[in-house]
C-alpha cells in the first residue's frame, strides 16, 4: 500500500501546472475539463475530464494530486504532489537547440520539475532520515516523458531517422531522472513508456500518405508505431540497468503502449464509436479527418456530442473514457510488480 503519489511528466499527467504558467492557454478554457469539472481552470487537464493519474489516485483512495504551481492548494499535501507540465520535454532547451529543435510551450522541462521536487521535499522534511521515513510508503511516477521531444522534432520537419537518433539521449535523461528520484528516497518507481503515436489523429494527419502499405489493419502508421516501440525497448533496457544498480528499489515499467492498444483493439466492446476512432471529439476534424486549422479551445471549435464514445479528445490527448480504461489496464498490470495492493 502507498499513501502518497509524486508525479513528473507532461500533458498526459499535468493536473494544472501549465495553465498556471500560461493562463491564456486553450487548456484553461472550455471545453477542456467539461465532462468532470465545473470549469477548465478548475481542471487544468488536457482532456475533457480526468486523466490516468486521477484514476490511479482514486484507486489508492487518495485525493487528486494538486499541481505544484497552485500555491493555494499545494502548501503542504500529505498525499503527494504533481510536478508534471504540459509540453515538458525530457531534454533541456540547450540540448534540443543543438539539434535545431526550438519549439516548446513551457520552460518547465524535466530538470526543472526535479528541482521543484527537491525544493518540495526540503520544505516538508526535517532531514534525510525524516525524508526517507515519509517517502517509504510513496509511489513515484516518472513520466510519461520524452514524447514531446519527439513531437516537437516531427513538427519542425525532422525525419523519423533523425528523431530516432534522439532516443538514446532522451532515454538517458529519463534514466538519470530516476537515479535522482531514488536519491531523494523513492522506494517504488513507475516509469511509463510511449503511446503508439501512429494511431493518434495529429500524427496521422502530419504523416498521411497514399501508400496503403504504410498502415496496419487499424489504419495506424506502422513506422511511427515502430518508432514508439523502439523508444520503449530502449527504456526497458535502461530500467534493467537501474534495477541492477538499486536492488532494494522496485522499478516498474508502465506499459502505456499496450494499455492503449487494449482500448483501441477492443473499442467496439468498450462502447466507442469505431467509425470515429481516428477523429477527435474537439477541434477541426470532429466529423472528418483531423485538421490543424482549428484547435480545441479555439472560438467556435466544434465539439462532438458524446465524448465517451471517442478515444481521442483533441487529436493528441485522449478522452476521460479512454484514460479510464487505460488506467484500469495499467493498475492490474503494474500492481503485482509493485508488491502492494490498493
Amino acid at each position: 500500500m502507498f499513501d502518497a503519489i509524486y508525479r513528473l511528466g507532461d500533458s498526459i499527467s499535468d493536473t494544472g501546472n501549465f495553465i498556471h504558467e500560461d493562463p491564456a492557454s486553450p487548456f484553461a478554457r472550455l471545453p477542456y475539463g467539461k465532462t468532470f469539472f465545473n470549469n477548465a481552470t478548475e481542471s487544468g487537464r488536457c482532456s475533457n475530464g480526468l486523466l490516468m493519474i486521477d484514476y490511479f489516485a482514486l484507486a489508492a483512495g487518495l485525493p487528486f494530486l494538486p499541481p505544484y504551481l497552485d500555491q493555494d492548494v499545494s502548501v503542504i499535501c500529505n498525499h503527494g504532489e504533481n510536478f508534471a507540465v504540459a509540453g515538458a520535454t525530457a531534454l533541456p532547451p540547450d540540448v534540443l537547440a543543438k539539434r535545431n529543435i526550438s519549439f516548446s510551450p513551457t520552460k518547465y522541462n524535466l530538470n526543472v520539475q526535479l528541482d521543484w521536487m527537491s525544493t518540495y521535499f526540503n520544505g516538508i522534511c526535517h532531514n534525510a532520515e525524516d525524508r526517507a521515513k515519509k517517502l517509504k510508503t510513496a509511489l513515484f511516477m516518472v513520466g510519461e516523458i520524452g514524447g514531446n521531444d519527439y513531437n516537437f522534432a516531427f513538427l519542425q520537419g525532422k525525419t523519423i531517422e533523425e528523431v530516432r537518433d534522439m532516443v538514446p539521449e532522451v532515454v538517458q535523461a529519463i534514466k538519470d531522472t530516476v537515479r535522482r528520484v531514488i536519491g531523494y528516497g523513492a522506494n517504488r518507481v513507475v516509469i511509463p513508456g510511449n503511446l503508439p503515436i501512429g494511431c493518434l489523429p495529429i500524427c496521422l494527419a502530419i504523416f498521411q500518405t497514399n501508400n496503403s502499405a504504410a498502415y496496419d489493419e487499424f489504419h495506424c502508421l506502422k513506422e511511427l508505431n515502430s518508432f514508439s516501440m523502439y523508444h520503449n525497448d530502449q527504456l526497458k533496457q535502461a530500467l534493467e540497468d537501474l534495477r541492477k544498480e538499486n536492488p532494494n528499489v522496485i522499478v516498474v515499467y508502465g506499459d502505456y503502449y499496450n494499455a492503449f492498444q487494449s482500448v483501441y483493439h477492443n473499442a467496439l466492446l468498450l462502447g466507442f464509436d469505431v467509425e470515429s476512432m481516428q477523429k477527435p471529439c474537439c477541434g477541426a476534424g470532429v466529423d472528418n479527418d483531423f485538421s490543424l486549422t482549428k484547435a480545441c479551445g479555439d472560438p467556435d471549435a466544434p465539439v462532438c456530442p458524446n465524448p465517451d464514445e471517442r478515444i481521442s479528445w483533441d487529436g493528441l490527448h485522449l478522452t476521460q473514457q479512454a484514460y479510464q480504461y487505460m488506467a484500469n489496464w495499467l493498475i492490474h498490470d503494474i500492481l503485482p510488480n509493485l508488491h502492494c495492493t490498493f
Side-chain angles (χ1 to χ4, degrees):
M1 175 60 71
F2 45 85
D3 54 19
I5 302 174
Y6 297 100
R7 187 74 187 243
L8 302 160
D10 57 22
S11 59
I12 294 178
S13 46
D14 182 1
T15 55
N17 283 314
F18 184 74
I19 69 167
H20 281 85
E21 179 185 8
D22 181 10
S25 164
F27 305 141
R29 54 181 180 265
L30 293 174
Y32 282 94
K34 69 188 281 295
T35 299
F36 189 88
F37 298 92
N38 293 323
N39 55 64
T41 53
E42 180 185 285
S43 161
R45 291 157 174 79
C46 301
S47 179
N48 61 306
L50 300 181
L51 309 178
M52 284 185 281
I53 184 59
D54 297 309
Y55 289 109
F56 296 154
L58 287 170
L62 300 176
F64 295 147
L65 296 191
Y68 177 77
L69 292 180
D70 187 352
Q71 297 303 316
D72 291 337
V73 176
S74 298
V75 181
I76 293 294
C77 177
N78 294 324
H79 300 291
E81 194 81 3
N82 195 340
F83 306 97
V85 185
T89 55
L91 300 175
D94 60 321
V95 175
L96 291 171
K98 291 177 182 177
R99 294 180 176 269
N100 295 316
I101 301 167
S102 58
F103 177 77
S104 178
T106 180
K107 58 188 176 184
Y108 300 134
N109 60 69
L110 188 55
N111 281 342
V112 175
Q113 294 178 31
L114 276 167
D115 291 341
W116 286 350
M117 182 178 280
S118 177
T119 299
Y120 179 81
F121 290 146
N122 288 338
I124 67 169
C125 305
H126 302 299
N127 50 45
E129 184 179 353
D130 181 45
R131 184 175 63 195
K133 183 179 179 181
K134 280 187 169 73
L135 301 184
K136 186 176 182 180
T137 54
L139 174 68
F140 286 75
M141 300 191 75
V142 178
E144 186 274 335
I145 193 73
N148 284 325
D149 300 66
Y150 307 140
N151 291 340
F152 300 150
F154 284 134
L155 287 170
Q156 291 183 233
K158 303 293 184 183
T159 65
I160 289 181
E161 291 74 20
E162 287 175 311
V163 181
R164 186 183 173 95
D165 187 54
M166 296 171 58
V167 171
E169 200 167 13
V170 169
V171 169
Q172 185 63 48
I174 298 170
K175 187 176 182 180
D176 291 342
T177 297
V178 176
R179 286 193 179 112
R180 280 186 64 181
V181 166
I182 291 171
Y184 294 155
N187 288 307
R188 291 186 178 95
V189 189
V190 173
I191 303 95
N194 208 342
L195 296 163
I197 61 173
C199 299
L200 301 180
I202 187 171
C203 294
L204 287 164
I206 293 171
F207 290 95
Q208 63 181 312
T209 174
N210 292 324
N211 179 13
S212 60
Y215 299 91
D216 65 16
E217 66 271 30
F218 293 94
H219 198 71
C220 298
L221 285 160
K222 291 188 285 189
E223 193 172 18
L224 285 178
N225 281 356
S226 293
F227 171 82
S228 294
M229 287 189 283
Y230 175 69
H231 166 88
N232 292 341
D233 287 342
Q234 296 294 306
L235 182 62
K236 284 185 274 189
Q237 183 56 58
L239 301 192
E240 282 296 324
D241 295 341
L242 288 165
R243 291 184 189 108
K244 292 174 184 176
E245 293 173 15
N246 304 277
N248 297 320
V249 177
I250 299 172
V251 177
V252 177
Y253 175 68
D255 195 351
Y256 278 16
Y257 190 100
N258 282 311
F260 179 92
Q261 293 289 48
S262 176
V263 174
Y264 212 71
H265 295 176
N266 295 289
L268 184 62
L269 292 174
L270 296 175
F272 293 105
D273 177 7
V274 294
E275 299 298 320
S276 301
M277 283 175 58
Q278 294 181 333
K279 299 174 184 176
C281 177
C282 181
V286 168
D287 298 315
N288 44 48
D289 291 336
F290 179 76
S291 168
L292 296 170
T293 56
K294 190 178 285 291
C296 185
D298 285 349
D300 302 321
V303 183
C304 72
N306 299 304
D308 286 351
E309 295 180 359
R310 298 286 176 105
I311 290 175
S312 175
W313 168 243
D314 59 8
L316 178 60
H317 309 102
L318 308 186
T319 59
Q320 172 178 283
Q321 192 79 342
Y323 281 138
Q324 181 176 13
Y325 284 126
M326 282 186 64
N328 290 341
W329 190 97
L330 287 160
I331 287 167
H332 287 98
D333 185 60
I334 289 171
L335 273 185
N337 298 319
L338 287 174
H339 303 166
C340 63
T341 57
F342 281 121

